[in-house]
Amino acid sequence: MILAPAGGKQAFLAALAAEADGIYCGLKALSARMAAINFSMEELVPLANLAREKNTKLLITLNSLLKPGEVKDAGKMVSTLVETVRPDALIIQDLGFIPLIRRTGFPGEIHLSTLANVTFARALELVRNKLGVDQVVIPRELTIDEIKLIAESCPEDLGLEMFVHGALCYGVSGRCYWSSFMGGKSGLRGRCVQPCRRVYTQENARAKFFSCMDLSVDVLAKVLLDIPRIRGWKIEGRKKGPHYVYYTVSAYKLFRDHGRDPQAKRDALALLERALGRPGTHYNFLPQRPQNPVNTAVHTGSGLLIGRVKGGGGKTFLAPREALLTGDILRIGYEDESWHRIQRVGKYVPKHGRLHLKLPSGPGSAARTPVFLVDRMEAALKDKLDELRGQMSEVRGQRSEAGDQWAEGRGKREEGRGRKSEVGGKKRGDRGKKKPLEIAVYHRLVKKQGPVGYWLSPETISVVSRDASGRISWWLPPVIWPADEAGWADLVAQAVRGGARRFVLNAPWQAAFFPRPGKLQLWAGPFCNTANAMALSVLKDLGFSGAVISPELGEKELLALPGESPIPLGIIVAGGFPLSISRSLSAELKPEALFISPKGEGAWVKKHGSDYWVFPNWNHDLTEKRPVLQAAGFKLFISLRESVPKGIKMKNRPGIWNWDVGLM
């Protein structure tokens, strides 16, 4: 199944015109692409009816992090969505959505977004059998060998879906907090301001060290046809226009249906070349020939580079490298530059002709500024969309046979999805009576008495025999890749045999490493991105004893959660929390050396295990807020002790993250 993105009505119709097997789109709230136009319920209903007429699946993205005060309204929205739009599947990242969806009797499928960070094979049985998930979107960073490893362990009634084309984030999905840390606009809530696309400076080098090319599996996609568990080929691009959607879907249909025909492959590659995306990379798909997604020698602006600004003094123009059509959309400058401009082409401009650019004085008017073609509407595509709009009017309000079958099936999918989770609560008077436990967490061994935390590793496990009292908390990493899974399973088993009793898991699915937890205490760590009582209730059902809540939350949300939670809560109050975690690093960027943002913010990269962690050069610090946090009911205060590389001076600046501004 080829799944097309739709960030607006035109893109939705373009996906239908290209005969996509499925379309995924978001609402104007609770979507991980809030910068897209997105849809209201009223707009979606006729489009959904038309999709059913075309036998095209409709998937709705609810893949946003839920804050405490949003759960009730989210439940109402899901209920309305299920009743009116009647989608085939809902895509989520927040566990709190699972009980909300069940309560509606939704008969369709629940898909876990790539933001949920299901990265290793043994997690799949847990998400299927304990959560009732029907499909998992696996990470973009995987090699084909790792994809096969995951597929071999996939339960028969669970499907896998993977991205084959589109924008790459520098950070691993669900493990990037860069945008949030710099002002509350979280990528987990679809509001990322893309700090990774900016120009940074390190020593005498100045480049876009974190700006990735687009993923493009293209001709290699035929390998996926031999993996039956891969049920969906997903194209990223809910912020893209109808031209991109039509061209990419058409290309991947050729790769899928005629991938062994040399001419069809050439035609498909030509379509991708004209799809107005970024330059492409196979990334890690071929393990024997991995490609670094960051290449500072290649431009990573979205759209087709069509030329550069010429002239000056208020008489700037463009001599395009190819003809421009009436209605073409141009962007002057890169999208991450605040001064970039959008201009619509008013009339046909021949190749190497002259188009006057309406630019105010400033950076964008400088000669040599790049100009990109970011969207267009050819006459043939416009005719197709006009025809579909006419058909949409004909089916408006109709209930198709598929819709009747949907209604008859309501509630039938409830069976086998585990028991219904209920939100527990604590009485306000129970909070703050007992002094919270305080621990510091280290990557390396330290001489310290009393409670301590260690990131589990071959080095730190050497002291597990000293943990007779179970006072050491053993932290699992934020990401476990398929190639490393067996090693982590052995390390966890070794720790348990040695007497370890307290573990902090940084993905809920890491509970799969503890099939018989017995008297073990399992806590959900901060990278589980838990931010609401409904999700905490699901964690309790999974066997977690407590949870360290999302550090992205603001004051209001932080103080509300302990009184609503069915399990004890912990919080990161100090130390080095990563801006982002990635599987790759630019060859031009030196690890453990300071680099500076355009706004003067400093950061550095350090490798932990298989991944690169990006840290700001100032610490997260809520120590002054501890009295109010204790009064709210937090039971565990945590400090993450990250060793600072030589030569890097940490700044003394407030590290309260979103305490004042709140999570947007």
Side-chain angles (χ1 to χ4, degrees), residues 431-630:
R431 294 191 257 169
K433 289 184 178 180
K434 187 177 179 181
K435 186 177 180 181
L437 178 67
E438 299 183 16
I439 66 167
V441 183
Y442 300 85
H443 281 281
R444 55 184 177 81
L445 296 176
V446 295
K447 294 180 180 179
K448 181 177 173 60
Q449 299 296 321
V452 67
Y454 285 121
W455 291 95
L456 187 60
S457 71
E459 176 196 2
T460 58
I461 202 173
S462 63
V463 300
V464 73
S465 59
R466 303 181 201 168
D467 194 19
S469 62
R471 303 192 75 185
I472 298 178
S473 299
W474 297 94
W475 284 54
L476 271 62
V479 187
I480 292 178
W481 300 109
D484 304 325
E485 180 179 352
W488 281 107
D490 290 343
L491 204 57
V492 167
Q494 185 181 342
V496 173
R497 286 195 304 269
R501 293 294 176 264
R502 297 172 183 262
F503 291 87
V504 178
L505 316 185
N506 277 296
W509 343 115
Q510 292 175 358
F513 289 110
F514 304 87
R516 293 179 294 277
K519 295 182 180 180
L520 299 180
Q521 286 195 32
L522 305 182
W523 275 59
F527 295 93
C528 290
N529 302 321
T530 310
N532 62 80
M534 194 69 77
L536 289 163
S537 182
V538 176
L539 289 175
K540 181 182 179 182
D541 286 350
L542 289 175
F544 284 88
S545 305
V548 183
I549 64 167
S550 167
E552 291 193 81
L553 296 174
E555 177 186 9
K556 180 180 178 181
E557 297 93 12
L558 288 173
L559 300 184
L561 262 184
E564 302 173 357
S565 177
I567 53 178
L569 298 185
I571 185 171
I572 306 294
V573 291
F577 198 89
L579 298 173
S580 186
I581 296 174
S582 178
R583 207 176 187 182
S584 60
L585 184 70
S586 168
E588 285 76 34
L589 189 76
K590 295 180 182 179
E592 302 193 31
L594 193 69
F595 62 86
I596 306 296
S597 79
K599 295 185 178 181
E601 301 146 338
W604 44 281
V605 177
K606 187 170 185 177
K607 192 172 186 182
H608 285 304
S610 300
D611 301 313
Y612 297 93
W613 297 35
V614 183
F615 292 98
N617 72 330
W618 69 95
N619 282 323
H620 178 52
D621 188 3
L622 291 177
T623 51
E624 291 185 357
K625 313 296 182 184
R626 285 167 67 170
V628 69
L629 290 168
Q630 180 176 343

Side-chain angles (χ1 to χ4, degrees), residues 46-341:
L47 290 167
N49 289 339
L50 182 60
R52 277 187 284 272
E53 286 283 315
K54 303 292 184 183
N55 294 316
T56 302
K57 299 290 185 182
L58 177 60
L59 299 81
I60 302 298
T61 58
L62 300 172
N63 53 344
S64 182
L65 192 70
L66 281 177
K67 296 194 293 187
E70 296 174 335
V71 172
K72 185 176 180 181
D73 287 343
K76 292 179 181 178
M77 188 181 75
V78 172
S79 181
T80 303
L81 178 69
V82 168
E83 290 289 344
T84 60
V85 177
R86 298 177 285 131
D88 296 283
L90 298 174
I91 305 172
I92 65 165
Q93 64 152 313
D94 193 311
L95 294 182
F97 269 111
I98 292 178
L100 295 179
I101 293 169
R102 286 179 189 154
R103 290 174 183 180
T104 68
F106 177 57
E109 294 186 342
I110 297 177
H111 295 188
L112 274 183
S113 166
T114 187
L115 288 168
N117 198 247
V118 181
T119 58
F120 58 95
R122 69 189 65 200
L124 299 178
E125 187 174 345
L126 184 151
V127 301
R128 177 58 196 161
N129 295 337
K130 293 193 176 182
L131 296 177
V133 168
D134 300 284
Q135 194 147 297
V136 171
V137 186
I138 58 178
R140 296 165 170 87
E141 292 84 0
L142 299 182
T143 69
I144 184 59
D145 291 346
E146 290 176 318
I147 293 168
K148 289 178 179 178
L149 277 175
I150 287 181
E152 288 169 2
S153 301
C154 188
E156 289 188 5
D157 52 354
L158 180 70
L160 301 178
E161 182 181 310
M162 63 173 285
F163 283 95
V164 294
H165 197 88
L168 279 171
C169 295
Y170 176 73
V172 176
S173 291
R175 299 294 179 264
C176 190
Y177 308 90
W178 208 330
S179 176
S180 173
F181 199 88
M182 299 301 178
K185 294 183 178 180
S186 173
L188 294 175
R189 289 174 60 81
R191 291 178 168 85
C192 180
V193 297
Q194 296 187 314
C196 59
R197 298 288 182 192
R198 297 171 183 165
V199 175
Y200 290 88
T201 303
Q202 187 181 69
E203 298 177 351
N204 295 324
R206 188 171 181 271
K208 295 188 174 186
F209 295 119
F210 306 97
S211 186
C212 294
M213 296 180 283
D214 278 6
L215 175 68
S216 184
V217 176
D218 50 68
V219 296
L220 303 178
K222 65 181 181 182
V223 179
L224 301 173
L225 295 173
D226 298 324
I227 309 175
R229 286 287 170 267
I230 302 294
R231 297 179 184 170
W233 295 6
K234 194 167 192 174
I235 296 168
E236 187 278 340
R238 282 196 282 143
K239 293 195 293 183
K240 300 291 182 67
H243 175 98
Y244 169 90
V245 172
Y246 185 82
Y247 273 56
T248 52
V249 171
S250 299
Y252 279 92
K253 283 180 62 185
L254 285 173
F255 287 133
R256 181 192 63 186
D257 300 336
H258 308 285
R260 290 174 174 82
D261 178 354
Q263 183 57 50
K265 287 195 291 187
R266 286 193 290 271
D267 291 344
L269 287 171
L271 287 169
L272 292 183
E273 184 71 24
R274 308 293 303 167
L276 308 184
R278 296 181 179 87
T281 173
H282 292 152
Y283 197 10
N284 287 329
F285 194 78
L286 292 178
Q288 68 274 29
R289 292 202 303 273
Q291 298 176 350
N292 194 319
V294 179
N295 184 346
T296 58
V298 176
H299 85 78
T300 50
S302 64
L304 179 67
L305 182 63
I306 202 75
R308 294 181 180 273
V309 173
K310 294 186 177 183
K315 296 182 179 180
T316 53
F317 66 94
L318 171 71
R321 298 177 180 179
E322 60 179 73
L324 296 176
L325 309 180
T326 302
D328 279 355
I329 306 297
L330 304 179
R331 186 187 68 246
I332 297 97
Y334 293 98
E335 59 264 57
D336 60 289
E337 294 169 323
S338 60
W339 48 261
H340 77 262
R341 296 285 185 272

